[in-house]
Amino acid sequence: MAAHGENLRINSARLWDSLQAMAQIGPGIAGGNNRQTLTDADAEGRRLFANWCKAAGCTMGVDTMGNMFATRAGTDPEALPVYMGSHLDTQPTGGRYDGVLGVLGGLEVIRRLNDLDIKTRHPIVLTNWTNEEGARFAPAMLASGVFAGIHTQDYAYARRDLDGKQFGEELARIGWVGDEVVGARKMHAMFELHIEQGPILEAEGKDIGVVTHGQGLWWLEITLTGKDAHTGSTPMNMRVNAGLGMARITERVHQIAMSHQPGAVGAVGQVKVFPNSRNVIPGKVIFTVDIRSPEQAKLDAMKAEVIRAAHAVAAELGLGIGIEDVGHFDPVTFDPALVKTVRGAAERLGYSHMDIISGAGHDACWINRVAPTVMVMCPCVGGLSHNEAEEISPEWAAAGTDVLFHAVLETAVVTG
Ligand code: HGY
Ligand code: MN
Ligand code: MN
């Protein structure tokens, strides 16, 4: 039996094969994935994942938010489990690795433990969190947010997509409403392996990101109300143009983020224009502002400035305005002891590493509220993500999963 201190490595070819097999489900149009949450493609991906977990000897639990928990038994059933996990849902034009690496990297850890017949005192649980992306149903990290007590399940079930479909109805439609009470599970620790989704690790030539913090986020949904009118025959001074208001606010969001450099970002990603006809001045637009910073003061200041600027633009154009918070979490500090465990694992394995702040939000950001939590990151090509051209190398995938493997082994305590 190999001790966890030895130079144990995961089976990188098997991991890569599993990543590519999952990528065949919910294919995009340019080599990536469109496996949005609670779609038939998500259901198919869930079934494949569940079959793989069963083949690896795990028992599967599912809660009422569809969160999946695959358990590998420990030698002490009283010991709180060590969790690993991330998400299998993707953006509409997502990559093959965002979220998926964390789930299938965890599966590879379990498969490797089985290969080596390694026993751990703590049970090990691998999780697929429902609707991490928040692309179809806002906000992001919805199901891990319910698990951590941030959102109620009623709030989550009532969330609607652009077609008006409700989260709860769609979860039932794909047959993944489990019987476990959300959040009832207690964790000894939670590890999330994830691609960086930014350019820092690759630029610095590092294999591993030891994630010490995560930046905070606000999603503000702004509704501007003007007047539909003919784009040809309506004089410019008689227009009440909601589309113009959105454009001006979008520019202001960019300027506000730039005025808070370094460590601030802002953009508008989702826009709904009504009636969205080429020759009608938009009488209504609904769009989401996404602002983020690792510093609480900057995040709060940007939110206040965006709201002030939006009201000023609405006033100068004579538009009605409504602003709703549709997503928020404060900057996150991960568990220092687990950060040290991850750093030590990278060191032992001889992987180059650096401390890093996560630019993207992750389920770990919410689980950090209810259990000691940490993240491990690997680089991605050009820092590109939320784009079908997202790429990582098999070596980066293996490095991140090796570190996950050793950090989880150390925390779950090898007993045989
Ligand atoms: O929005 C985020 O940061 C995450 O990718 N859902
Ligand atoms: Mn992700
Ligand atoms: Mn994502």
Side-chain angles (χ1 to χ4, degrees):
M1 191 283 301
H4 83 275
E6 286 180 17
N7 199 6
L8 294 181
R9 307 281 168 149
I10 54 103
N11 180 329
S12 58
R14 180 170 57 191
L15 169 62
W16 196 252
D17 288 349
S18 297
L19 288 166
Q20 303 319 318
M22 182 59 75
Q24 305 315 307
I25 297 175
I29 52 174
N33 276 108
N34 178 7
R35 194 173 51 246
Q36 295 184 63
T37 196
L38 309 190
T39 58
D40 293 341
D42 181 21
E44 191 185 342
R46 286 166 173 266
R47 280 194 297 275
L48 176 60
F49 173 60
N51 290 339
W52 279 340
C53 290
K54 190 173 172 202
C58 296
T59 54
M60 183 66 76
V62 183
D63 70 18
T64 50
M65 283 295 293
N67 295 315
M68 300 170 72
F69 303 99
T71 298
R72 181 179 194 264
T75 54
D76 175 0
E78 299 308 307
L80 283 182
V82 171
Y83 281 69
M84 309 177 282
S86 193
H87 61 94
L88 292 173
D89 68 306
T90 75
Q91 287 285 334
T93 54
R96 297 181 166 209
Y97 309 103
D98 171 2
V100 184
L101 178 63
V103 178
L104 300 189
L107 177 63
E108 175 51 35
V109 167
I110 289 173
R111 286 168 167 170
R112 195 71 181 118
L113 289 171
N114 293 343
D115 293 344
L116 300 165
D117 193 21
I118 291 177
K119 295 181 178 40
T120 57
R121 179 189 317 145
H122 295 262
I124 291 174
V125 178
L126 175 58
T127 304
N128 169 34
W129 297 105
T130 303
N131 189 34
E132 187 282 339
E133 290 294 357
R136 186 182 174 197
F137 299 99
M141 296 94 82
L142 182 59
S144 52
V146 174
F147 185 95
I150 311 298
H151 311 300
T152 66
Q153 181 166 291
D154 288 349
Y155 163 81
Y157 271 34
R159 304 305 290 162
R160 289 183 186 275
D161 67 8
L162 294 181
D163 299 325
K165 289 185 179 155
Q166 279 195 325
F167 179 98
E169 291 165 1
E170 284 294 279
L171 183 63
R173 184 186 66 80
I174 67 167
W176 279 95
V177 180
D179 54 9
E180 286 190 14
V181 173
V182 186
R185 285 174 171 262
K186 300 303 171 208
M187 302 176 175
H188 179 59
M190 203 313 250
F191 293 86
E192 180 165 5
L193 166 64
H194 206 287
I195 63 172
E196 179 198 341
Q197 299 184 292
I200 299 168
L201 293 176
E202 185 185 44
E204 298 293 329
K206 303 293 183 193
D207 297 322
I208 296 295
V210 180
V211 188
T212 57
H213 300 80
Q215 65 177 352
L217 159 155
W218 276 103
W219 281 0
L220 305 174
E221 185 175 87
I222 298 178
T223 301
L224 295 178
T225 317
K227 189 164 77 177
D228 296 5
H230 198 298
T231 49
S233 53
T234 309
M236 292 304 280
N237 65 354
M238 289 178 63
R239 297 180 177 207
V240 191
N241 185 342
L244 177 60
M246 176 192 64
R248 287 188 180 173
I249 292 169
T250 300
E251 172 62 28
R252 287 293 295 121
V253 167
H254 180 82
Q255 290 165 354
I256 288 166
M258 292 309 288
S259 71
H260 285 278
Q261 293 307 308
V265 291
V268 169
Q270 186 184 66
V271 175
K272 288 176 273 185
V273 179
F274 302 90
N276 203 27
S277 167
R278 290 181 185 80
N279 44 7
V280 178
I281 297 165
K284 180 177 174 184
V285 294
I286 304 174
F287 56 104
T288 301
V289 173
D290 178 322
I291 49 175
R292 309 192 191 199
S293 175
E295 298 171 48
Q296 188 67 54
K298 280 192 180 180
L299 186 63
D300 296 345
M302 285 203 288
K303 182 190 180 187
E305 289 167 34
V306 165
I307 291 171
R308 216 172 13 255
H311 280 286
V313 166
E316 75 199 29
L317 295 175
L319 298 169
I321 183 168
I323 302 179
E324 183 192 349
D325 295 347
V326 294
H328 169 238
F329 56 86
D330 288 333
V332 171
T333 300
F334 289 115
D335 181 81
L338 291 182
V339 167
K340 201 158 158 274
T341 300
V342 166
R343 195 180 294 120
E347 201 67 49
R348 268 200 316 278
L349 288 159
Y351 287 124
S352 57
H353 59 87
M354 62 183 282
D355 288 4
I356 194 169
I357 295 172
S358 175
H362 302 283
D363 295 305
C365 297
W366 282 142
I367 303 307
N368 189 56
R369 297 284 186 96
V370 293
T373 300
V374 73
M375 294 188 72
V376 183
M377 282 188 174
C378 76
C380 53
V381 175
L384 185 65
S385 184
H386 285 192
N387 181 308
E388 290 205 46
E390 175 187 279
E391 261 311 332
I392 62 173
S393 69
E395 294 70 27
W396 286 341
T401 308
D402 278 335
V403 171
L404 175 71
F405 181 30
H406 280 250
V408 165
L409 265 190
E410 183 176 330
T411 308
V413 183
V414 175
T415 55

